[in-house]
Amino acid sequence: MGEGVCVCVCVCVCVGGAGRCPRLPEPPGYPAWVEARQSQWGDLEPQEKMSCAQVSWDHESSLCQESARTGRAIGPSIPAEGGERRAARTTTFRWTTRASAFRAARAARARGDLQGSLHACCALAPPGSMMVALGNRGARRLRFLLSALKSEIYGPFARPAATFRTSVTSAKVAVNGIHLHYQQTGEGDHAVLLLPGMLGCGETDFGPQIKNLNKKLFTVVAWDPRGYGHSRPPDRDYPVDFFERDAKDAVDLMKTLKFKKVSLLGWSDGGITALIAAAKYPSYIHRMVIWGANAYVSKEDEMIYQGIRDVSKWSEKIRKPLETLYGYDYFAKTCEKWVDGMKQFKHLPDGNICRHLLPLVQCPTLIVHGAKDPMVPRFHADFIHKHVKGSRESGGASFLDKSYP
């Protein structure tokens, strides 16, 4: 079993005069000099005009000081062959670049283009700032990271939230003779179903994913399997085919919600359910990511399961949310039933849960495993990777580490 972690990227961008290096002393003629330069940027805001004028003055002043120190004529205030023209060209380049960057940033904000805004801000960053230190390669990587984060990034360059649905719908729908609870958010063309683990539901297992997955690209559905979360009644039971039953419930739920094809993100028991669904309904499953899943039960697994039978011995961090959701009695009783339900697979040939179905999986599959996962040994991820054709495996990822229970 593993646990997903939301990664946050903090970016500090200096614009206008803020965050610049200490300014050079201002001579008596400086205000008039600035006023004259500001007239060249009629479409900019006052603060932006001042920023362009200041960066030009700083550059020219630096040239003059260098000229006085070395005796070489390199500044416009010290006429010399070629020096004034060269200084004027470099100064003009600086303020025109800055003015263009302001215009580009404004245009990017207007159309909600986060990457375009970031690119413009790179040009506005002062020497020595983080953006300049990143260089082109770093800026490209930062833009890539930002593009992978949620669309509703709150800041001056954010797209208006009203342009797509960010609210979460919570409802129940009749599926296979019971009422299944689900949460839904986003309006993207790519439907994604989140499948929780043992005793879990969308509320307990997928809060960060429901909140942070891109609402423009994806329509996200997190379901509560029968007997879990708010899909009660009935109480949860564990016949030998309960994973197959969950897979059918999950697929039928998405069909009832009118999705033509879905991708699956499943962890722990949800990963097992996802594997079975992908194998039995290959034309309906687009892509799949699983973590903390196993296709059979070994003797080592049996010992691990027995070790968590008594929920009173779980850590409070893991126990408290489930106890709040279910009440202690239902929580403790269902955990014991889960342990017995999993141990029954040990009595089947090769401890089989779904190992016979793995070769039938056709969709692109990513298998993730936490290096310190105390519930599912690494060999299970390797086994699934070996038997799911074309799958990719990511192991030892520290962000999946979990103390459980």
Side-chain angles (χ1 to χ4, degrees), residues 108 111-121 143-148:
R111 63 178 183 268
D113 181 1
L114 177 63
Q115 293 192 16
S117 300
L118 179 61
H119 182 75
C121 289
R143 284 195 293 271
F144 173 77
L145 286 173
L146 285 171
S147 70

Side-chain angles (χ1 to χ4, degrees), residues 4 183 193-197 200-213 220-224 265-268 270-271 291:
Q183 294 174 285
L193 176 62
L194 309 178
L195 299 100
C201 62
E203 176 184 327
T204 60
D205 289 12
F206 289 114
Q209 289 74 22
I210 294 171
K211 180 180 178 181
N212 294 299
L213 282 174
V220 181
V221 177
W223 83 310
D224 299 356
L265 272 66
W267 87 283
S268 183
W291 60 104

Side-chain angles (χ1 to χ4, degrees), residues 189-193 217-218 251 254 259-265 274 277-279 281-289 361-366:
D189 293 334
H190 193 156
V192 176
L193 176 62
L217 297 179
F218 305 111
V251 170
M254 297 304 280
F259 292 108
K260 296 181 179 179
K261 201 166 187 177
V262 303
S263 291
L264 306 176
L265 272 66
Y281 311 95
S283 63
Y284 192 67
I285 308 303
H286 181 51
R287 293 175 180 273
M288 177 169 58
V289 181
V361 175
Q362 299 177 17
C363 65
T365 301
L366 175 64

Side-chain angles (χ1 to χ4, degrees), residues 128-358:
S129 72
M130 187 189 82
M131 284 301 217
V132 172
L134 282 171
N136 290 336
R137 181 180 179 185
R140 285 196 301 271
R141 176 169 292 185
L142 187 55
R143 284 195 293 271
F144 173 77
L145 286 173
L146 285 171
S147 70
L149 295 179
K150 62 180 180 181
S151 295
E152 318 92 295
I153 298 180
Y154 298 98
F157 306 136
R159 181 185 298 273
T163 58
F164 54 90
R165 183 170 61 185
T166 60
S167 61
V168 178
T169 299
S170 181
K172 283 188 175 184
V173 63
V175 177
N176 297 330
I178 60 170
H179 287 84
L180 293 176
H181 177 265
Y182 68 95
Q183 294 174 285
Q184 181 175 330
T185 186
E187 58 182 21
D189 293 334
H190 193 156
V192 176
L193 176 62
L194 309 178
L195 299 100
M198 156 197 160
L199 288 163
C201 62
E203 176 184 327
T204 60
D205 289 12
F206 289 114
Q209 289 74 22
I210 294 171
K211 180 180 178 181
N212 294 299
L213 282 174
N214 190 312
K215 307 300 190 299
K216 284 187 63 183
L217 297 179
F218 305 111
T219 296
V220 181
V221 177
W223 83 310
D224 299 356
R226 62 170 70 201
Y228 286 166
H230 302 287
S231 293
R232 295 179 288 148
D235 287 352
R236 182 69 175 185
D237 62 348
Y238 298 92
V240 72
D241 65 343
F242 72 89
F243 281 119
E244 283 82 357
R245 183 185 63 186
D246 284 349
K248 179 172 173 44
D249 283 349
V251 170
D252 289 347
L253 167 66
M254 297 304 280
K255 289 181 178 179
T256 300
L257 298 178
K258 306 302 182 184
F259 292 108
K260 296 181 179 179
K261 201 166 187 177
V262 303
S263 291
L264 306 176
L265 272 66
W267 87 283
S268 183
D269 282 11
I272 301 172
T273 301
L275 286 168
I276 295 172
K280 290 198 166 187
Y281 311 95
S283 63
Y284 192 67
I285 308 303
H286 181 51
R287 293 175 180 273
M288 177 169 58
V289 181
I290 62 169
W291 60 104
N294 52 303
Y296 63 93
V297 173
S298 69
K299 186 173 183 179
E300 182 177 347
D301 297 320
E302 192 175 16
M303 295 173 62
I304 293 172
Y305 300 153
Q306 189 60 35
I308 66 168
R309 174 182 286 273
D310 184 356
V311 299
S312 67
K313 297 179 181 178
W314 291 24
S315 68
E316 183 177 1
K317 178 182 177 181
I318 303 300
R319 184 184 71 247
K320 196 65 177 178
L322 295 173
E323 189 174 332
T324 301
L325 175 63
Y326 295 116
Y328 182 83
D329 290 342
Y330 184 85
F331 169 40
K333 178 182 68 174
T334 306
C335 180
E336 292 180 355
K337 290 163 62 176
W338 179 87
V339 170
D340 293 336
M342 293 300 292
K343 289 172 68 175
Q344 68 184 326
F345 293 111
K346 185 65 178 65
H347 304 295
L348 300 179
D350 300 316
N352 182 42
I353 300 175
C354 64
R355 57 191 296 161
H356 62 295
L357 296 175
L358 299 184

